[in-house]
Amino acid sequence: MDKKSFIYLDNNSTTPVDPRVLESMLPYYHDRFGNASSDHSFGWAAKSAVENSRETIARFLNADTKEIYFTSGATESVNIIHFGIAESNILPNSNIISSNIEHSATYDSLNYLSKKGIEIKFVPVNKLGLIDPEQLINSIDNKTLLVSIIYANNEIGTINDIKAIGDFCKSTNILFHIDATQAIGKIKFDLNELNVDFVSFTAHKIYGPKGIGGLFIRNRKPNIKLSQRIFGGGQENGIRPGTLNVPAIVGFGKAIEICSTELEKDFNHTSSLRDLLYNNLVSNIDGVLINGSLKQRLPNNLNIRIEGISANKLMLELRDLAFSNSSACSSGSTTPSRILKALGLHDEEAFASVRFGIGRFNTIDEIDYASTEIIEAVQKIRTLNKKYLSFT
Protein backbone atom coordinates (compact mmCIF):
# COMPACT_ATOMS: atom_id res chain seq x y z
CA MET A 1 0.00 0.00 0.00
CA ASP A 2 1.04 3.62 -0.38
CA LYS A 3 2.49 5.30 2.65
CA LYS A 4 -0.22 6.51 5.01
CA SER A 5 0.08 9.51 7.27
CA PHE A 6 -0.82 7.44 10.30
CA ILE A 7 -1.88 3.90 11.20
CA TYR A 8 -3.61 3.35 14.52
CA LEU A 9 -2.64 0.11 16.30
CA ASP A 10 -3.43 1.00 19.90
CA ASN A 11 -7.02 -0.21 20.20
CA ASN A 12 -6.46 -1.71 23.66
CA SER A 13 -5.89 1.83 24.86
CA THR A 14 -8.97 3.32 23.21
CA THR A 15 -10.95 2.92 20.02
CA PRO A 16 -12.33 5.40 17.50
CA VAL A 17 -16.04 6.04 17.81
CA ASP A 18 -17.89 3.96 15.26
CA PRO A 19 -19.71 6.28 12.80
CA ARG A 20 -22.97 4.47 13.60
CA VAL A 21 -22.44 5.24 17.28
CA LEU A 22 -21.74 8.91 16.60
CA GLU A 23 -24.85 9.17 14.45
CA SER A 24 -26.99 7.77 17.27
CA MET A 25 -25.58 10.31 19.75
CA LEU A 26 -25.89 13.56 17.78
CA PRO A 27 -29.63 14.21 18.27
CA TYR A 28 -29.16 14.14 22.06
CA TYR A 29 -26.77 17.09 21.95
CA HIS A 30 -29.27 19.39 20.25
CA ASP A 31 -32.82 18.30 19.44
CA ARG A 32 -33.31 15.92 22.37
CA PHE A 33 -31.10 17.61 24.92
CA GLY A 34 -33.33 17.18 27.99
CA ASN A 35 -32.27 16.15 31.47
CA ALA A 36 -33.38 12.56 32.05
CA SER A 37 -34.59 13.56 35.53
CA SER A 38 -36.86 16.37 34.30
CA ASP A 39 -40.62 15.83 34.38
CA HIS A 40 -41.58 17.15 30.96
CA SER A 41 -41.44 15.99 27.33
CA PHE A 42 -37.73 16.77 26.88
CA GLY A 43 -36.88 14.89 30.07
CA TRP A 44 -39.14 11.96 29.19
CA ALA A 45 -37.46 11.59 25.79
CA ALA A 46 -34.03 11.60 27.43
CA LYS A 47 -35.09 9.11 30.09
CA SER A 48 -36.55 6.81 27.43
CA ALA A 49 -33.25 6.88 25.53
CA VAL A 50 -31.31 6.06 28.71
CA GLU A 51 -33.55 3.12 29.56
CA ASN A 52 -33.40 1.79 26.01
CA SER A 53 -29.60 1.73 26.25
CA ARG A 54 -29.76 0.12 29.68
CA GLU A 55 -32.02 -2.58 28.27
CA THR A 56 -29.70 -3.16 25.29
CA ILE A 57 -26.68 -3.55 27.57
CA ALA A 58 -28.53 -5.79 30.02
CA ARG A 59 -29.75 -8.04 27.22
CA PHE A 60 -26.23 -8.34 25.78
CA LEU A 61 -24.77 -9.30 29.17
CA ASN A 62 -27.75 -11.52 30.07
CA ALA A 63 -28.56 -9.35 33.08
CA ASP A 64 -31.64 -7.61 34.46
CA THR A 65 -32.00 -3.92 33.59
CA LYS A 66 -32.14 -3.12 37.32
CA GLU A 67 -28.62 -4.55 37.64
CA ILE A 68 -27.00 -2.09 35.20
CA TYR A 69 -25.72 1.30 36.40
CA PHE A 70 -24.03 4.06 34.41
CA THR A 71 -20.79 5.66 35.64
CA SER A 72 -18.08 7.86 34.14
CA GLY A 73 -15.96 4.84 33.20
CA ALA A 74 -14.55 1.52 34.34
CA THR A 75 -12.15 3.19 36.79
CA GLU A 76 -15.03 4.74 38.70
CA SER A 77 -16.96 1.46 38.54
CA VAL A 78 -14.01 -0.38 40.09
CA ASN A 79 -13.61 2.21 42.84
CA ILE A 80 -17.33 2.19 43.68
CA ILE A 81 -17.12 -1.52 44.40
CA HIS A 82 -13.83 -1.52 46.29
CA PHE A 83 -14.64 1.38 48.58
CA GLY A 84 -18.33 0.54 48.81
CA ILE A 85 -17.60 -3.00 50.01
CA ALA A 86 -14.72 -2.02 52.29
CA GLU A 87 -16.61 0.79 54.07
CA SER A 88 -19.82 -1.19 54.54
CA ASN A 89 -18.08 -4.31 55.89
CA ILE A 90 -15.53 -3.08 58.41
CA LEU A 91 -14.32 -6.17 60.21
CA PRO A 92 -11.11 -6.86 62.17
CA ASN A 93 -8.40 -8.47 60.04
CA SER A 94 -10.58 -8.46 56.91
CA ASN A 95 -8.96 -8.96 53.52
CA ILE A 96 -9.53 -8.59 49.79
CA ILE A 97 -8.04 -11.00 47.24
CA SER A 98 -6.73 -9.78 43.89
CA SER A 99 -3.82 -10.48 41.52
CA ASN A 100 -0.54 -8.80 40.62
CA ILE A 101 -1.58 -8.11 37.00
CA GLU A 102 -4.55 -5.87 37.74
CA HIS A 103 -5.23 -2.60 35.97
CA SER A 104 -4.11 0.43 37.98
CA ALA A 105 -7.76 1.22 38.84
CA THR A 106 -7.82 -1.96 40.91
CA TYR A 107 -4.20 -2.06 41.99
CA ASP A 108 -4.07 1.54 43.25
CA SER A 109 -7.46 1.57 44.95
CA LEU A 110 -6.65 -1.65 46.81
CA ASN A 111 -3.25 -0.35 47.86
CA TYR A 112 -5.03 2.69 49.29
CA LEU A 113 -7.37 0.42 51.24
CA SER A 114 -4.37 -1.45 52.61
CA LYS A 115 -3.34 1.80 54.30
CA LYS A 116 -6.75 1.86 55.96
CA GLY A 117 -6.22 -1.48 57.66
CA ILE A 118 -7.58 -3.97 55.14
CA GLU A 119 -5.18 -6.73 54.17
CA ILE A 120 -4.77 -7.00 50.40
CA LYS A 121 -3.52 -10.28 49.00
CA PHE A 122 -2.14 -9.93 45.45
CA VAL A 123 -1.90 -13.47 44.11
CA PRO A 124 1.00 -13.88 41.62
CA VAL A 125 0.48 -15.10 38.06
CA ASN A 126 2.48 -17.69 36.19
CA LYS A 127 5.06 -16.87 33.50
CA LEU A 128 2.28 -16.72 30.89
CA GLY A 129 0.48 -14.04 32.87
CA LEU A 130 -2.38 -16.27 33.98
CA ILE A 131 -3.90 -16.63 37.42
CA ASP A 132 -3.95 -20.15 38.85
CA PRO A 133 -7.53 -20.47 40.19
CA GLU A 134 -6.47 -23.06 42.75
CA GLN A 135 -3.74 -20.81 44.15
CA LEU A 136 -6.17 -17.90 44.38
CA ILE A 137 -8.85 -20.04 46.01
CA ASN A 138 -6.34 -21.25 48.62
CA SER A 139 -5.72 -17.62 49.64
CA ILE A 140 -9.40 -17.09 50.55
CA ASP A 141 -10.38 -17.41 54.21
CA ASN A 142 -13.30 -16.52 56.47
CA LYS A 143 -12.10 -12.90 56.68
CA THR A 144 -12.26 -12.35 52.92
CA LEU A 145 -14.66 -9.54 51.99
CA LEU A 146 -14.19 -9.62 48.25
CA VAL A 147 -12.31 -11.24 45.38
CA SER A 148 -11.49 -8.71 42.63
CA ILE A 149 -9.91 -10.02 39.43
CA ILE A 150 -9.25 -8.73 35.92
CA TYR A 151 -10.95 -10.85 33.25
CA ALA A 152 -8.61 -9.97 30.37
CA ASN A 153 -5.41 -8.02 30.94
CA ASN A 154 -5.09 -4.65 29.25
CA GLU A 155 -1.37 -4.99 28.45
CA ILE A 156 -0.74 -8.63 27.60
CA GLY A 157 -4.29 -9.63 26.70
CA THR A 158 -4.34 -12.83 28.78
CA ILE A 159 -7.79 -14.17 29.67
CA ASN A 160 -8.27 -15.59 33.15
CA ASP A 161 -10.45 -18.53 34.19
CA ILE A 162 -13.18 -16.43 35.76
CA LYS A 163 -15.72 -19.23 35.85
CA ALA A 164 -13.58 -21.47 38.08
CA ILE A 165 -13.02 -18.65 40.56
CA GLY A 166 -16.67 -17.60 40.41
CA ASP A 167 -17.94 -21.11 41.03
CA PHE A 168 -15.90 -21.34 44.22
CA CYS A 169 -16.93 -17.86 45.39
CA LYS A 170 -20.57 -18.74 44.89
CA SER A 171 -20.21 -22.01 46.81
CA THR A 172 -18.63 -20.20 49.77
CA ASN A 173 -20.79 -17.05 49.55
CA ILE A 174 -17.77 -14.78 48.85
CA LEU A 175 -18.47 -11.62 46.85
CA PHE A 176 -16.74 -11.62 43.46
CA HIS A 177 -15.91 -8.58 41.30
CA ILE A 178 -14.35 -8.64 37.84
CA ASP A 179 -12.84 -5.90 35.72
CA ALA A 180 -14.20 -6.86 32.29
CA THR A 181 -13.15 -3.65 30.54
CA GLN A 182 -11.10 -5.43 27.87
CA ALA A 183 -13.31 -8.51 27.62
CA ILE A 184 -16.82 -7.23 26.98
CA GLY A 185 -17.43 -6.76 23.28
CA LYS A 186 -14.36 -8.79 22.27
CA ILE A 187 -15.11 -12.28 23.58
CA LYS A 188 -18.30 -14.12 24.53
CA PHE A 189 -19.68 -12.78 27.79
CA ASP A 190 -22.75 -14.26 29.51
CA LEU A 191 -23.51 -13.45 33.14
CA ASN A 192 -25.66 -16.58 33.39
CA GLU A 193 -22.49 -18.61 32.88
CA LEU A 194 -20.31 -16.58 35.26
CA ASN A 195 -20.91 -16.51 38.99
CA VAL A 196 -19.90 -12.89 39.50
CA ASP A 197 -21.55 -10.25 41.66
CA PHE A 198 -20.00 -7.09 40.20
CA VAL A 199 -18.69 -6.25 36.73
CA SER A 200 -16.89 -3.05 35.69
CA PHE A 201 -16.75 -2.09 32.01
CA THR A 202 -16.65 0.93 29.70
CA ALA A 203 -17.68 2.20 26.26
CA HIS A 204 -14.48 3.58 24.76
CA LYS A 205 -12.85 0.16 24.35
CA ILE A 206 -15.68 -0.99 22.06
CA TYR A 207 -15.97 1.95 19.63
CA GLY A 208 -18.17 3.99 21.95
CA PRO A 209 -17.57 7.43 23.49
CA LYS A 210 -15.17 8.20 26.32
CA GLY A 211 -16.47 9.28 29.71
CA ILE A 212 -19.20 6.66 30.09
CA GLY A 213 -18.90 3.34 31.86
CA GLY A 214 -21.04 0.57 33.20
CA LEU A 215 -21.38 -1.30 36.46
CA PHE A 216 -23.26 -4.55 37.00
CA ILE A 217 -24.43 -5.28 40.53
CA ARG A 218 -26.25 -8.56 41.04
CA ASN A 219 -29.54 -7.78 42.75
CA ARG A 220 -30.42 -11.27 43.91
CA LYS A 221 -27.79 -11.50 46.65
CA PRO A 222 -28.84 -10.30 50.11
CA ASN A 223 -25.26 -9.97 51.44
CA ILE A 224 -24.36 -7.20 48.98
CA LYS A 225 -24.02 -3.98 50.94
CA LEU A 226 -22.33 -0.96 49.38
CA SER A 227 -21.66 2.26 51.21
CA GLN A 228 -22.48 5.37 49.20
CA ARG A 229 -19.43 7.04 47.67
CA ILE A 230 -20.99 9.98 45.79
CA PHE A 231 -23.72 12.20 47.16
CA GLY A 232 -26.21 14.34 45.30
CA GLY A 233 -29.39 13.38 43.49
CA GLY A 234 -30.98 9.98 43.44
CA GLN A 235 -29.89 9.03 39.94
CA GLU A 236 -28.83 5.42 39.34
CA ASN A 237 -30.53 4.41 42.56
CA GLY A 238 -27.96 6.40 44.53
CA ILE A 239 -25.08 4.24 43.27
CA ARG A 240 -23.85 7.04 41.01
CA PRO A 241 -25.91 10.22 41.51
CA GLY A 242 -25.56 13.16 39.13
CA THR A 243 -27.08 14.34 35.88
CA LEU A 244 -26.91 11.52 33.38
CA ASN A 245 -24.73 11.90 30.28
CA VAL A 246 -27.55 11.05 27.88
CA PRO A 247 -25.65 11.32 24.55
CA ALA A 248 -22.84 9.11 25.86
CA ILE A 249 -25.28 6.58 27.29
CA VAL A 250 -27.06 6.42 23.93
CA GLY A 251 -23.69 5.88 22.25
CA PHE A 252 -22.80 3.17 24.77
CA GLY A 253 -26.02 1.35 23.99
CA LYS A 254 -25.41 1.60 20.26
CA ALA A 255 -21.85 0.33 20.63
CA ILE A 256 -23.13 -2.68 22.56
CA GLU A 257 -25.88 -3.24 19.99
CA ILE A 258 -23.24 -3.40 17.25
CA CYS A 259 -21.13 -5.79 19.33
CA SER A 260 -24.16 -8.06 19.78
CA THR A 261 -24.41 -8.61 16.03
CA GLU A 262 -20.77 -8.26 14.98
CA LEU A 263 -18.79 -9.85 17.83
CA GLU A 264 -17.87 -12.97 15.87
CA LYS A 265 -17.02 -10.88 12.80
CA ASP A 266 -14.79 -8.57 14.86
CA PHE A 267 -13.19 -11.53 16.64
CA ASN A 268 -12.24 -13.23 13.38
CA HIS A 269 -11.11 -9.98 11.75
CA THR A 270 -8.87 -8.78 14.57
CA SER A 271 -7.42 -12.20 15.41
CA SER A 272 -6.49 -12.82 11.76
CA LEU A 273 -4.78 -9.44 11.48
CA ARG A 274 -3.06 -9.94 14.85
CA ASP A 275 -1.73 -13.31 13.68
CA LEU A 276 -0.65 -11.82 10.35
CA LEU A 277 1.35 -9.12 12.12
CA TYR A 278 2.94 -11.62 14.50
CA ASN A 279 3.86 -14.06 11.72
CA ASN A 280 5.30 -11.27 9.58
CA LEU A 281 7.53 -10.12 12.43
CA VAL A 282 8.75 -13.51 13.66
CA SER A 283 9.50 -14.57 10.06
CA ASN A 284 11.72 -11.56 9.41
CA ILE A 285 13.19 -10.54 12.78
CA ASP A 286 15.32 -12.70 15.06
CA GLY A 287 14.59 -12.58 18.77
CA VAL A 288 10.85 -11.77 18.74
CA LEU A 289 9.21 -13.24 21.83
CA ILE A 290 5.58 -13.19 22.92
CA ASN A 291 4.60 -11.79 26.32
CA GLY A 292 1.78 -13.81 27.82
CA SER A 293 -0.20 -16.71 26.43
CA LEU A 294 -0.98 -16.98 22.71
CA LYS A 295 -3.82 -19.41 23.44
CA GLN A 296 -5.67 -17.67 26.28
CA ARG A 297 -5.54 -14.20 24.78
CA LEU A 298 -7.76 -11.43 23.49
CA PRO A 299 -8.17 -11.67 19.71
CA ASN A 300 -6.84 -8.17 19.05
CA ASN A 301 -3.86 -8.03 21.41
CA LEU A 302 -0.20 -8.61 20.56
CA ASN A 303 2.44 -7.86 23.18
CA ILE A 304 6.00 -8.79 22.17
CA ARG A 305 9.56 -8.05 23.10
CA ILE A 306 12.35 -7.75 20.56
CA GLU A 307 15.78 -8.70 21.84
CA GLY A 308 18.30 -5.89 21.80
CA ILE A 309 15.71 -3.24 20.94
CA SER A 310 14.48 -0.46 23.17
CA ALA A 311 10.73 0.04 22.80
CA ASN A 312 11.20 3.80 23.13
CA LYS A 313 13.73 3.87 20.29
CA LEU A 314 11.44 1.77 18.13
CA MET A 315 8.54 4.14 18.73
CA LEU A 316 10.72 7.13 17.78
CA GLU A 317 11.59 5.41 14.48
CA LEU A 318 7.94 4.64 13.75
CA ARG A 319 6.24 8.00 14.07
CA ASP A 320 3.55 7.04 11.58
CA LEU A 321 2.43 4.01 13.63
CA ALA A 322 0.44 4.36 16.83
CA PHE A 323 1.20 1.60 19.33
CA SER A 324 2.43 1.56 22.92
CA ASN A 325 5.21 0.42 25.18
CA SER A 326 2.85 -0.11 28.15
CA SER A 327 -0.74 0.50 29.13
CA ALA A 328 -2.09 3.98 28.46
CA CYS A 329 -2.49 4.57 32.18
CA SER A 330 1.26 4.22 32.80
CA SER A 331 2.72 5.35 29.48
CA GLY A 332 4.47 8.31 31.08
CA SER A 333 6.27 6.15 33.61
CA THR A 334 10.05 5.70 33.48
CA THR A 335 9.87 2.41 35.39
CA PRO A 336 9.33 -0.97 33.71
CA SER A 337 5.77 -2.22 33.37
CA ARG A 338 4.46 -3.74 36.58
CA ILE A 339 2.51 -6.28 34.50
CA LEU A 340 5.56 -7.44 32.54
CA LYS A 341 7.62 -7.67 35.72
CA ALA A 342 4.89 -9.89 37.17
CA LEU A 343 5.66 -12.39 34.38
CA GLY A 344 9.24 -12.59 35.63
CA LEU A 345 10.75 -10.39 32.92
CA HIS A 346 13.95 -8.51 33.66
CA ASP A 347 13.97 -4.72 33.31
CA GLU A 348 15.74 -4.91 29.94
CA GLU A 349 13.12 -7.35 28.62
CA ALA A 350 10.27 -5.17 29.86
CA PHE A 351 11.78 -2.07 28.25
CA ALA A 352 12.06 -4.01 24.97
CA SER A 353 8.32 -4.79 24.93
CA VAL A 354 5.63 -3.19 22.80
CA ARG A 355 1.87 -3.66 22.56
CA PHE A 356 -0.18 -3.65 19.37
CA GLY A 357 -3.96 -3.45 19.57
CA ILE A 358 -5.76 -4.38 16.35
CA GLY A 359 -9.17 -2.84 15.72
CA ARG A 360 -12.38 -3.15 13.75
CA PHE A 361 -11.24 -0.60 11.17
CA ASN A 362 -7.71 -1.91 10.52
CA THR A 363 -7.01 -3.56 7.17
CA ILE A 364 -4.66 -6.19 5.75
CA ASP A 365 -2.83 -3.48 3.79
CA GLU A 366 -2.23 -1.53 7.00
CA ILE A 367 -0.84 -4.59 8.77
CA ASP A 368 1.45 -5.42 5.85
CA TYR A 369 2.68 -1.83 5.73
CA ALA A 370 3.18 -1.71 9.50
CA SER A 371 5.07 -5.01 9.40
CA THR A 372 7.47 -3.69 6.76
CA GLU A 373 8.04 -0.48 8.72
CA ILE A 374 8.73 -2.36 11.97
CA ILE A 375 11.12 -4.80 10.29
CA GLU A 376 13.09 -1.98 8.66
CA ALA A 377 13.19 0.02 11.91
CA VAL A 378 14.52 -2.95 13.89
CA GLN A 379 17.20 -3.60 11.27
CA LYS A 380 18.21 0.06 11.35
CA ILE A 381 18.44 0.19 15.15
CA ARG A 382 20.47 -3.01 15.29
CA THR A 383 22.84 -1.76 12.60
CA LEU A 384 23.37 1.52 14.45
CA ASN A 385 23.96 -0.36 17.69
CA LYS A 386 26.66 -2.47 16.01
CA LYS A 387 28.35 0.64 14.62
CA TYR A 388 28.25 2.27 18.04
CA LEU A 389 29.75 -0.81 19.70
CA SER A 390 32.55 -0.95 17.13
CA PHE A 391 33.70 2.51 18.25
CA THR A 392 33.69 1.69 21.99
Side-chain angles (χ1 to χ4, degrees):
M1 66 174 284
D2 295 332
K3 182 178 175 65
K4 290 191 63 173
S5 60
F6 218 77
I7 295 177
Y8 188 76
L9 297 173
D10 199 18
N11 286 277
N12 290 116
S13 171
T14 194
T15 55
V17 173
D18 190 295
R20 294 167 289 181
V21 171
L22 180 59
E23 183 180 7
S24 74
M25 295 170 62
L26 290 177
Y28 294 91
Y29 284 111
H30 188 265
D31 297 329
R32 306 171 200 170
F33 57 85
N35 187 323
S37 299
S38 296
D39 195 15
H40 49 60
S41 60
F42 287 86
W44 300 333
K47 184 176 181 180
S48 176
V50 167
E51 295 312 314
N52 284 340
S53 288
R54 197 188 310 273
E55 183 176 345
T56 297
I57 294 169
R59 185 167 56 248
F60 180 69
L61 300 179
N62 219 341
D64 188 278
T65 55
K66 294 180 180 178
E67 297 174 315
I68 303 298
Y69 301 86
F70 293 112
T71 69
S72 67
T75 292
E76 183 181 30
S77 295
V78 168
N79 278 258
I80 286 173
I81 298 306
H82 288 171
F83 291 106
I85 289 293
E87 292 180 357
S88 62
N89 297 275
I90 301 175
L91 300 170
N93 304 315
S94 57
N95 64 71
I96 294 175
I97 311 296
S98 191
S99 82
N100 65 347
I101 59 158
E102 298 299 312
H103 185 276
S104 57
T106 292
Y107 191 75
D108 292 348
S109 61
L110 292 182
N111 274 319
Y112 178 83
L113 286 174
S114 71
K115 298 174 184 176
K116 300 298 180 181
I118 296 177
E119 181 186 5
I120 308 298
K121 301 179 183 179
F122 290 113
V123 176
V125 294
N126 63 23
K127 64 181 181 180
L128 295 179
L130 297 168
I131 298 167
D132 179 355
E134 184 176 350
Q135 184 180 8
L136 185 143
I137 288 167
N138 288 338
S139 69
I140 297 173
D141 57 35
N142 59 3
K143 297 291 185 179
T144 300
L145 298 177
L146 176 74
V147 173
S148 182
I149 295 297
I150 197 166
Y151 194 165
N153 184 267
N154 50 300
E155 285 192 45
I156 56 175
T158 48
I159 301 172
N160 286 306
D161 189 350
I162 294 301
K163 190 176 187 311
I165 300 169
D167 288 348
F168 178 83
C169 288
K170 181 181 180 181
S171 69
T172 53
N173 208 29
I174 298 291
L175 294 175
F176 185 29
H177 163 257
I178 62 170
D179 173 2
T181 304
Q182 296 284 346
I184 288 177
K186 297 188 181 78
I187 58 176
K188 182 184 177 184
F189 190 96
D190 187 341
L191 283 166
N192 274 355
E193 298 178 2
L194 301 173
N195 287 311
V196 297
D197 302 298
F198 313 105
V199 181
S200 302
F201 55 107
T202 197
H204 77 100
K205 308 290 188 183
I206 53 170
Y207 312 96
K210 297 175 181 65
I212 186 69
L215 176 59
F216 164 83
I217 301 176
R218 192 173 294 280
N219 64 11
R220 296 187 294 274
K221 246 185 148 169
N223 62 329
I224 292 179
K225 297 177 182 178
L226 291 175
S227 66
Q228 191 168 353
R229 295 293 301 162
I230 302 175
F231 297 86
Q235 294 93 341
E236 298 305 279
N237 200 28
I239 295 293
R240 208 283 184 174
T243 302
L244 293 173
N245 186 346
V246 178
I249 290 171
V250 169
F252 199 176
K254 186 64 177 180
I256 287 288
E257 178 188 313
I258 294 169
C259 287
S260 70
T261 59
E262 298 184 9
L263 188 146
E264 183 177 359
K265 175 185 174 183
D266 282 346
F267 184 101
N268 292 334
H269 175 70
T270 57
S271 61
S272 65
L273 293 185
R274 187 269 313 274
D275 292 345
L276 174 62
L277 176 61
Y278 179 62
N279 290 330
N280 284 346
L281 298 183
V282 297
S283 298
N284 292 279
I285 303 173
D286 293 331
V288 175
L289 301 167
I290 195 83
N291 292 324
S293 167
L294 264 178
K295 184 179 179 181
Q296 291 176 247
R297 192 183 201 93
L298 290 171
N300 75 325
N301 176 280
L302 179 64
N303 192 308
I304 58 172
R305 61 188 188 272
I306 306 174
E307 292 180 342
I309 299 294
S310 160
N312 286 338
K313 285 185 179 179
L314 186 63
M315 293 179 76
L316 287 173
E317 288 291 332
L318 298 168
R319 298 286 187 144
D320 54 347
L321 304 184
F323 58 101
S324 68
N325 56 359
S326 64
S327 72
C329 300
S330 59
S331 59
S333 175
T334 57
T335 58
S337 162
R338 171 174 53 83
I339 306 302
L340 297 178
K341 292 288 288 183
L343 305 186
L345 269 61
H346 300 300
D347 287 3
E348 184 177 348
E349 294 173 317
F351 283 129
S353 298
V354 291
R355 179 188 68 178
F356 300 97
I358 314 300
R360 176 182 292 167
F361 302 112
N362 287 126
T363 66
I364 292 176
D365 283 349
E366 287 181 329
I367 298 303
D368 283 337
Y369 174 79
S371 301
T372 300
E373 291 287 287
I374 295 165
I375 293 164
E376 290 178 356
V378 169
Q379 292 172 343
K380 177 181 176 181
I381 293 169
R382 284 179 170 169
T383 298
L384 290 173
N385 285 345
K386 287 180 181 178
K387 287 181 178 179
Y388 172 77
L389 291 172
S390 67
F391 285 103
T392 59

